[in-house]
Amino acid sequence: MKFHRLAISTAAFLALSSFQGFSNFAFAEEAAAAETTETVVPVAEEVAPVDAEPHKFEAEVSRILDIVVNSLYQNKDVFLRELISNASDALDKIRFLSITKPELLADKNELEIRISYDDEARTLTIADSGIGMTKEDLVNNLGTVARSGTTKFMEALQEGAADISQIGMFGVGFYSSFLVANKVTVATKHPHSDQQYIWSSVNGEDEYVIGEDPRGVTLGRGTEITLHLKDDAEEYADFGKLEQLVRHYSEFVTHPIFVRKTEEMEVPDEDEDADADATETSEEDELDVSEEEDAAEEEKPKKMKTVTTHEWVKSNADAAIWNRAKEEISDDEYQEFYKIIAKEALGANATSWSHFDAEGNINFKSLVYMPSEVPRSFMGGDLNNFRSSMKLYVRKVLISDDFELLPKYMSFVTGVVDSDDLPLNVNRETLQESKIIAIIRKKVTRKVIDMIKKFSESEMPETEDDAEDEIDEEGNVIEKEDVEKVHPYLEWYEKFQPSIKMGVIEDEANRKRLSKLIRVKTSKSDDKYISFEDYVSNMKDWQKQIYYIAGQNIKELEKSPFMEKFNEKELEVIYFTEAADEYMVSHLREFDGKKFTTITHDNIEFDDEDADLKKRRDAAYKEKFDPLIKFMNNFYGRAITRVKISHRLGSSPAIVSSGEYGQSANQERIMRAQAFAHGQDAGMMMGMKTLEINPRHPFFEKLLEVIPEDEEEKPPQEIRDAIWTLLDTALLNGGYHINEGKAFTYRMLRSIKNNLGTESFDLLPEIDPKVEEDVPPEIDEDAAGINLEDFDLDSMEEAAEEPEPVDEFAEEL
């Protein structure tokens, strides 16, 4: 089947999804110098092959179209990654084969990739000193899309005893060049071939030509691909653009990659000076030249000329650090690599890192870092919009730096994953759903959690106090105040706790592991962080639940009426002050078999009390206050769910608590803010509220006496106001919002009226001010510092009658 224009176009897009890779050889190569003698001649000019033979492209168009449908990308930058990967493949082959056949490197010892450009000719050349291709290889490898020399090489290796990995299909990756090129020319030389051949094809045509290179053997060995760039691809004939792409996609390729930098600069025209020196002058003429003329000649500016310079700049790193043995890497090297991949580090070091190799059904290498500072993207942002900082590599080739290799709550983690087993020739979306990616994500997530756990359990680092002792006037050493040291993990946790809590909420598989990383402050921790494990170890023998209370700040929670009974019993209560805390606990539910319970619920029971005594006391209080309870339930109506007698209140007359499945005051506050922000009705968010009354408080003893026996009879206004005010204060003490603000205001005004003994709210008439005559203000001489006797009024009048003389010229004007 002929490879027509449509096939060429689709193959170009297909090329974006094929990944050329590199071997994992453990050979060490010396880095080449930045300025190196040019060993590869770029094919910038038009070179026509000798005795060119035309060939038709062959491919299964239906298969190409099927792959393109699932692999369509629009990022043209990827073409350079593909061609560099192909070049690295060729270098890996020659290096591997040269182990048993050193003579293969006789024509050229360097194993490198060189990229050059010609902005005038609009060409881009990628050259390598790899295995090269024979004439038959050009037909088989570049004439089709479905076959490749790399594939056959892998098959041959699998049949032998060697263990080497190659990825990708050379033909597919090669055709990505047509995304940016109108014409592609390939010059290549294989060690087993005496000739250097040229392959050439024009974008859109269904044929290519192959012939001998008229320049002879200029490469020594290897392949050189020249792209004649399209009008909309001229940006690739630029050193800055090329170096940026190399660093982005191929920074950790094993072999050195050089980009030729071309610059124009002004230098003195030495040829002009030489011509001037060669001019002969007679002795007489020399004598006639005066000293002034000599000085003028010396000050005469030299002529300058523009020259073009070329410099080879190494653009990739020396080695991928994650492929090196851990014992060979120093902490400084780890930190330097962190600063390379963490663009937001701003010079800060990583707090911790984990370098590991995963072996089994899926093999991959990973190096992950835990930052010491919160990334800028986290500040004031939405966790759902955070982008992953992990980079995905295949054989050290960057596949994506925006890939979900970790859950969103771990977006602050920076690092790399280099896999050998990822499927190829698929688009990013398909790769994201790959089972291999799912396994990698699971393993890396566990490693990150283990890394944080190890950090939290690390010993307090020792610090040397180099400060000199201070001495007072008498010569005595002033004792320094002991400043309590804070564990580095707690400093880190202060910054990143929202992410850990979000992980407890979202990551069910790792919820228990993450809960061990949580730190909290409690009523007995003296404003210090403790873990849930610490809390459980400090629990009372009879205590079966983990108690907590949520609010806006610790000071507010310490003064809460709910804390009275717990302080009395010396029970430890966790303080939750972050918006996500209660949501986290609702997903966690328990820790080490102990259920989380908020002390603001209405069903709090204490197992240390005498059950029989409690039962009899409850019955007695119920019998005594049953009329008041019924009256208050009818009186409040839907304002409250129910009224009950409380056994945990101390000095407070009443408190409003939430039902077991109702919202706490803190949750209702957060949801109200969200509801109003979206223009919704917050009334639907009112949870089940219980008014707990203190049977020992005199208020209720008095109310029990004054409430009417007849249910239809209304109590006096003062009693009604008192009952409503009890509810309002209980709501405020419980952290809830008052339902009827205006009614509360009226009740407070009536209370003030009664306290002041005023008869009514009627306003008094307007005040009638006195009418006053206009009297000129009197001058206070002493206050103004003026003595009127010092003024000569007669002389002042004469001066007013006789004006001063005026200049005649000024008068004329």
Side-chain angles (χ1 to χ4, degrees):
M1 183 177 295
K2 294 183 178 180
F3 198 90
H4 48 68
R5 182 181 299 270
L6 175 60
I8 287 287
S9 301
T10 54
F13 283 104
L14 168 63
L16 292 172
S17 62
S18 68
F19 307 124
Q20 291 296 334
F22 317 94
S23 63
N24 294 324
F25 293 110
F27 301 115
E29 293 185 321
E30 296 183 358
E35 296 186 9
T36 308
T37 304
E38 185 175 345
T39 57
V40 180
V41 180
V43 187
E45 70 279 4
E46 291 285 347
V47 180
V50 178
D51 300 328
E53 300 176 3
H55 295 264
K56 295 290 185 181
F57 285 107
E58 296 179 2
E60 298 178 40
V61 178
S62 60
R63 179 186 177 189
I64 293 173
L65 292 174
D66 179 68
I67 297 177
V68 168
V69 168
N70 297 293
S71 308
L72 186 60
Y73 286 89
Q74 296 180 355
N75 183 8
K76 294 187 294 185
D77 292 348
V78 186
F79 85 92
L80 188 61
R81 178 191 70 187
E82 297 296 323
L83 297 182
I84 290 176
S85 298
N86 292 339
S88 181
D89 249 352
L91 290 167
D92 284 343
K93 291 177 186 179
I94 191 65
R95 183 169 61 174
F96 178 77
L97 295 174
S98 66
I99 295 175
T100 56
K101 297 180 180 181
E103 64 273 12
L104 293 176
L105 299 179
D107 295 332
K108 196 171 189 178
N109 290 324
E110 298 87 1
L111 297 177
E112 60 189 12
I113 301 170
R114 292 182 177 266
I115 303 172
S116 59
Y117 62 92
D118 188 333
D119 53 357
E120 294 183 1
R122 293 196 309 181
T123 59
L124 176 63
T125 301
I126 299 93
D128 66 76
S129 55
I131 189 66
M133 287 178 282
T134 64
K135 182 178 180 180
E136 291 74 18
D137 292 335
L138 287 172
V139 174
N140 295 330
N141 295 344
L142 304 189
T144 67
V145 173
R147 295 187 302 176
S148 114
T150 301
T151 304
K152 292 185 178 181
F153 183 67
M154 277 300 302
E155 293 173 355
L157 287 174
Q158 290 173 359
E159 294 175 359
D163 182 14
I164 181 176
S165 298
Q166 304 285 338
I167 67 171
M169 293 188 173
F170 183 86
V172 174
F174 167 76
Y175 275 98
S176 65
S177 57
F178 282 108
L179 289 170
V180 297
N182 289 317
K183 180 181 179 180
V184 178
T185 302
V186 179
T188 185
K189 169 67 172 63
H190 192 278
H192 294 162
S193 176
D194 296 332
Q195 299 293 332
Q196 181 170 306
Y197 291 95
I198 287 183
W199 179 101
S200 181
S201 179
V202 176
N203 190 359
E205 293 186 356
D206 61 353
E207 68 176 16
Y208 58 92
V209 295
I210 297 178
E212 295 182 6
D213 193 330
R215 301 169 300 174
V217 179
T218 60
L219 299 176
R221 182 194 67 251
T223 301
E224 178 185 76
I225 302 175
T226 300
L227 310 180
H228 299 263
L229 299 173
K230 298 178 181 179
D231 293 339
D232 60 352
E234 294 181 0
E235 60 177 317
Y236 298 106
D238 176 75
F239 172 78
K241 178 69 173 180
L242 294 173
E243 186 178 46
Q244 182 264 329
L245 291 179
V246 170
R247 291 185 183 276
H248 182 71
Y249 288 110
S250 308
E251 182 174 10
F252 303 107
V253 169
T254 303
H255 308 286
I257 303 174
F258 296 93
V259 180
R260 194 174 76 163
K261 185 177 183 180
T262 301
E263 291 182 318
E264 291 185 351
M265 57 186 302
E266 296 288 333
V267 297
D269 191 347
E270 297 178 358
D271 295 336
E272 186 71 20
D273 295 340
D275 293 342
D277 293 340
T279 303
E280 297 181 357
T281 58
S282 64
E283 294 182 0
E284 295 180 357
D285 293 337
E286 292 178 358
L287 294 174
D288 293 338
V289 178
S290 64
E291 295 182 0
E292 291 79 4
E293 291 175 339
D294 289 340
E297 186 69 22
E298 291 178 0
E299 295 177 359
K300 183 178 180 180
K302 294 182 179 181
K303 291 187 177 181
M304 306 292 288
K305 65 178 180 179
T306 301
V307 297
T308 302
T309 62
H310 302 288
E311 176 187 3
W312 288 106
V313 179
K314 189 172 183 294
S315 301
N316 63 326
D318 291 332
I321 189 173
W322 62 84
N323 273 353
R324 295 166 55 190
K326 287 180 281 188
E327 57 271 13
E328 298 176 359
I329 308 173
S330 66
D331 289 352
D332 290 340
E333 288 178 298
Y334 276 121
Q335 293 288 10
E336 286 300 319
F337 182 71
Y338 168 72
K339 292 175 183 178
I340 292 175
I341 62 174
K343 304 302 181 184
E344 294 190 0
L346 297 177
N349 287 335
T351 296
S352 181
W353 57 84
S354 178
H355 184 183
F356 62 94
D357 297 345
E359 297 180 353
N361 296 331
I362 304 298
N363 298 320
F364 66 91
K365 300 176 184 295
S366 183
L367 176 56
V368 292
Y369 289 91
M370 197 165 65
S372 57
E373 298 296 333
V374 178
R376 286 193 297 263
S377 58
F378 270 49
M379 298 178 183
D382 180 6
L383 189 61
N384 294 323
N385 296 326
F386 289 161
R387 295 181 58 187
S388 173
S389 299
M390 294 292 293
K391 300 179 185 294
L392 175 63
Y393 288 81
V394 175
R395 308 295 199 288
K396 301 183 291 296
V397 180
L398 179 65
I399 302 304
S400 174
D401 57 357
D402 184 17
F403 212 76
E404 294 183 10
L405 292 172
L406 287 173
K408 289 182 179 180
Y409 70 88
M410 284 187 177
S411 297
F412 61 88
V413 176
T414 300
V416 298
V417 170
D418 192 352
S419 173
D420 299 344
D421 302 316
L422 287 174
L424 305 176
N425 300 333
V426 295
N427 63 13
R428 182 184 182 281
E429 290 73 21
T430 304
L431 192 60
Q432 183 73 61
E433 300 301 324
S434 168
K435 292 182 178 179
I436 296 177
I437 289 294
I439 295 174
I440 292 176
R441 184 187 296 115
K442 179 179 178 180
K443 290 186 176 182
V444 176
T445 301
R446 291 280 178 87
K447 281 293 183 180
V448 172
I449 295 175
D450 291 342
M451 175 179 63
I452 301 176
K453 184 175 184 292
K454 183 178 179 181
F455 178 44
S456 68
E457 296 173 348
S458 62
E459 296 181 0
M460 176 73 75
E462 296 181 0
T463 57
E464 297 182 1
D465 188 5
D466 298 330
E468 296 182 358
D469 293 333
E470 296 182 10
I471 301 175
D472 59 15
E473 297 177 354
E474 299 178 356
N476 299 321
V477 177
I478 301 176
E479 294 184 2
K480 297 179 181 178
E481 296 182 3
D482 292 334
V483 179
E484 190 169 356
K485 299 177 182 179
V486 179
H487 194 282
Y489 175 72
L490 298 180
E491 294 180 346
W492 181 88
Y493 180 80
E494 281 275 9
K495 305 170 186 176
F496 293 91
Q497 59 174 313
S499 296
I500 304 300
K501 293 173 182 178
M502 190 59 65
V504 175
I505 295 173
E506 295 182 345
D507 193 349
E508 182 178 0
N510 294 301
R511 186 167 291 155
K512 289 185 178 180
R513 295 181 178 87
L514 290 168
S515 66
K516 296 180 180 180
L517 306 177
I518 298 295
R519 297 294 182 267
V520 295
K521 294 182 179 180
T522 72
S523 58
K524 300 176 70 174
S525 68
D526 194 21
D527 200 34
K528 298 175 183 177
Y529 281 111
I530 66 170
S531 65
F532 288 145
E533 292 174 327
D534 295 332
Y535 180 95
V536 172
S537 65
N538 295 331
M539 289 174 59
K540 301 287 186 181
D541 295 337
W542 52 267
Q543 186 179 345
K544 299 179 181 179
Q545 297 169 321
I546 300 176
Y547 297 114
Y548 70 89
I549 182 172
Q552 299 188 58
N553 56 71
I554 292 180
K555 289 185 178 181
E556 173 189 295
L557 297 177
E558 288 175 339
K559 299 176 182 179
S560 172
F562 290 108
M563 290 294 300
E564 292 180 348
K565 198 70 172 180
F566 289 87
N567 290 333
E568 178 185 331
K569 291 182 173 290
E570 297 185 350
L571 287 171
E572 191 169 18
V573 179
I574 296 174
Y575 295 143
F576 283 146
T577 58
E578 300 295 331
D581 287 340
E582 286 191 277
Y583 295 102
M584 175 191 68
V585 170
S586 66
H587 286 80
L588 187 58
R589 296 184 182 178
E590 64 177 30
F591 182 88
D592 196 18
K594 309 295 184 180
K595 182 181 177 182
F596 285 94
T597 301
T598 176
I599 66 173
T600 61
H601 278 174
D602 60 1
N603 59 350
I604 294 295
E605 300 288 343
F606 301 103
D607 295 334
D608 65 328
E609 298 176 351
D610 187 332
D612 181 64
L613 176 62
K614 180 178 179 300
K615 182 178 180 181
R616 288 185 286 109
R617 182 175 291 157
D618 290 346
Y621 277 130
K622 185 178 185 302
E623 181 181 359
K624 177 179 180 180
F625 288 98
D626 187 62
L628 179 61
I629 297 296
K630 289 182 179 180
F631 172 82
M632 295 179 72
N633 277 321
N634 293 330
F635 181 83
Y636 289 131
R638 299 180 60 185
I640 204 77
T641 304
R642 64 169 178 148
V643 180
K644 62 172 284 190
I645 295 174
S646 177
H647 306 286
R648 57 172 169 173
L649 291 176
S651 59
S652 300
I655 194 72
V656 172
S657 58
S658 59
E660 183 177 1
Y661 302 103
Q663 295 175 349
S664 68
N666 190 56
Q667 286 177 314
E668 185 175 303
R669 175 180 60 84
I670 295 172
M671 295 193 70
R672 277 179 175 273
Q674 294 173 347
F676 290 142
H678 293 82
Q680 300 174 3
D681 182 12
M684 58 186 242
M685 298 180 184
M686 294 175 58
M688 300 174 62
K689 299 182 181 67
T690 299
L691 175 63
E692 299 184 32
I693 63 173
N694 188 346
R696 300 173 59 194
H697 202 281
F699 282 178
F700 299 101
E701 189 76 20
K702 182 66 176 179
L703 284 176
L704 187 61
E705 297 174 2
V706 298
I707 59 172
E709 296 181 2
D710 186 358
E711 294 182 0
E712 300 296 330
E713 182 183 350
K714 279 188 177 184
Q717 183 67 51
E718 293 80 5
I719 301 300
R720 297 202 302 271
D721 285 347
I723 297 175
W724 277 115
T725 302
L726 278 171
L727 176 60
D728 291 336
T729 55
L731 285 169
L732 292 175
N733 282 334
Y736 286 100
H737 178 77
I738 295 177
N739 297 330
E740 294 291 339
K742 288 186 178 180
F744 173 78
T745 302
Y746 294 149
R747 286 193 293 273
M748 291 299 99
L749 290 175
R750 285 195 294 269
S751 176
I752 295 172
K753 168 179 168 291
N754 294 334
N755 291 336
L756 294 178
T758 56
E759 297 180 356
S760 70
F761 291 111
D762 295 338
L763 298 179
L764 299 176
E766 288 279 8
I767 191 170
D768 188 12
K770 295 187 298 181
V771 177
E772 297 181 358
E773 297 180 357
D774 293 337
V775 179
E778 296 182 359
I779 299 176
D780 188 348
E781 298 179 11
D782 295 334
I786 300 174
N787 187 359
L788 295 179
E789 295 179 356
D790 296 338
F791 289 90
D792 187 353
L793 298 179
D794 295 336
S795 60
M796 293 177 65
E797 292 177 357
E798 293 176 358
E801 294 175 356
E802 300 178 2
E804 295 182 1
V806 182
D807 183 73
E808 293 181 352
F809 179 74
E811 187 177 12
E812 289 178 0
L813 291 176

